[in-house]
Structures are given as structure tokens and as C-alpha cells.
Amino acid sequence: MSKVKVMIVDDHEMVRLGISSYLLTEENIDLVAEASSGQEAIKLAKIHKPNVILMDLLMENGTGIDATKEIMKFSPDCRVIILTSYYDDEQVFPAIEAGAHSYILKTSRAEEVTEAIYKAARGESVIEPKVANKMMNRFRRQEKKPHDDLTEREIEVLKCLGEGMSNQEISEFLFIGVKTVKTHVSNILGKLGVADRTQAAIYANRQNITLNK
């Protein structure tokens, strides 16, 4: 196995020292450079061409996200592992979108960081479970449609709206009171985020939520 060329990017000297001390004991890892800022990381990445970069997120003189984005432009095969204390949405998703290959926390054990490096070198991603959960939740939110929150009765009323029925007609069709229909319509408009029943009708037809005839 050829050695994995690694660069550490962190603005805290003690963090860099701790990581580098451990990595130097790994015979299959070649620690080629250390950077204390995003801008320095970009310069050193061009010179040393590391296979894997351990990248902090929040630093002076350029963030890890900006550095990752720039490095991906001239070195798309480089694997950037975000190594940070943060896993909030404002950091996670921009980092992944910038091209980060893996995302782990500084609370990870030294062996876990090393394993993440080897996996990255093989093209495998490692995502901290807390971060993975956030990504899955975001994916589910993106997949979810507004009408998924409607009750069965509200779906029935929406279908009627799609047919252009008045509240009275819906009342007679579904055998419920007009006041109840008005309540359902109000709930539907709120859940769909539309201004009026006409927009709700348009939504119903676009989503193919129609009465079976």
C-alpha cells in the first residue's frame, strides 16, 4: 500500500500538534503539510498535492468551506475530511456542497480519524452519525410535499376544491356540515401555503389529487 499524503488545516497549533503527533506513528501516512488558515491551505495544497486533507471549518483568513471549494477546483481528486466541533446546518450542508468527502467531529478518537483518512484515500466517505441524521432529515424534508400533512378528510375536500365545488356542494357531496367544510378549507389553505381556494384547486390538479369518476 502506497503512503497516503495528508495535510492538516487548523488555526489552533495545539490541535495540529496533537493530530500530527498521532499520524506520524502511522507508517502508511505521510504528513506532507500543516496550514493554519484557509488561504494557507490553498497555497500548500497546490505545492504538496495531498491525497487527503483534514480541514477545520472556522478559521481566520478564510473558512474551511471556502478553502475546500477552491481546492476542489484545481485538485478534484483530493479528499477533504471536515474535522470540526460544529455540526449545525449552517456548517454541515455548505461544507458538503463545497466538495467535502467526509465530516467528522473533533470528539472522535484518534483511531477513528486515522480510519477516516484511510477510507477517504480509498474513496469511501465517513459521516459523523449526528451529521448523517441531519442530512437524512433534510432529505426527507425535501422529499415531503405540502399535501402530505393533510388528513384523509382534508384530502377529500381538496379533491372537491379541484373540481371547483362550492362549500355547499362539498357539504352535500361528503355529507358533512358547511361549517365543517369551511374549517377544512381553512386548514388546507394553511397547510398548502396558498392564499385562496382557487390556488388550492390549481395545486390539486397539478398534483393529480382528483376525484375518481
Side-chain angles (χ1 to χ4, degrees):
M1 176 181 180
S2 58
K3 287 192 174 184
V4 181
K5 295 192 295 182
V6 177
M7 179 169 74
I8 301 171
V9 184
D10 199 292
D11 59 352
H12 290 94
E13 183 180 8
M14 291 304 295
V15 173
R16 297 197 307 273
L17 180 61
I19 296 174
S20 62
S21 296
Y22 186 82
L23 295 184
L24 288 172
T25 65
E26 290 288 317
E27 61 180 21
N28 290 317
I29 288 180
D30 182 12
L31 185 57
V32 296
E34 295 182 26
S36 60
S37 71
Q39 288 301 314
E40 187 180 12
I42 295 170
K43 294 178 182 178
L44 293 178
K46 290 179 179 179
I47 296 172
H48 297 283
K49 297 179 174 56
N51 306 120
V52 177
I53 298 176
L54 290 176
M55 180 78 73
D56 190 18
L57 275 181
L58 302 182
M59 300 175 288
E60 296 181 3
N61 193 23
T63 69
I65 293 172
D66 293 334
T68 297
K69 191 179 300 183
E70 189 62 31
I71 290 170
M72 287 298 99
K73 291 179 182 178
F74 62 81
S75 185
D77 292 331
C78 179
R79 306 301 186 185
V80 175
I81 299 174
I82 298 298
L83 181 60
T84 181
S85 303
Y86 303 93
Y87 58 95
D88 53 288
D89 292 1
E90 290 78 10
Q91 305 299 332
V92 172
F93 301 114
I96 300 299
E97 290 167 357
H101 191 72
S102 298
Y103 199 113
I104 59 179
L105 300 180
K106 288 182 177 178
T107 52
S108 302
R109 299 192 308 275
E111 311 91 80
E112 293 174 327
V113 175
T114 304
E115 184 60 25
I117 291 173
Y118 288 133
K119 285 186 175 182
R122 296 195 298 265
E124 302 173 29
S125 295
V126 176
I127 304 295
E128 161 70 32
K130 292 178 182 178
V131 175
N133 288 337
K134 282 182 173 288
M135 294 175 68
M136 289 303 298
N137 289 336
R138 181 173 181 176
F139 177 75
R140 292 189 188 101
R141 288 196 300 271
Q142 291 174 336
E143 289 294 304
K144 191 175 182 180
K145 295 180 179 180
H147 64 266
D148 290 339
D149 288 330
L150 300 182
T151 65
E152 289 185 18
R153 179 61 85 181
E154 287 168 351
I155 288 290
E156 292 175 343
V157 173
L158 179 59
K159 289 179 179 179
C160 293
L161 291 176
E163 298 296 326
M165 292 186 187
S166 65
N167 286 350
Q168 183 62 46
E169 289 172 328
I170 296 173
S171 171
E172 295 172 359
F173 185 79
L174 297 177
F175 303 102
I176 56 178
V178 174
K179 185 177 181 180
T180 302
V181 173
K182 290 180 179 179
T183 299
H184 286 317
V185 171
S186 177
N187 290 339
I188 290 168
L189 299 184
K191 290 180 179 180
L192 295 184
V194 296
D196 52 42
R197 60 196 298 129
T198 300
Q199 290 184 7
I202 293 172
Y203 178 91
N205 283 284
R206 284 179 175 173
Q207 296 295 325
N208 199 31
I209 304 173
T210 56
L211 292 173
N212 292 321
K213 296 183 177 179

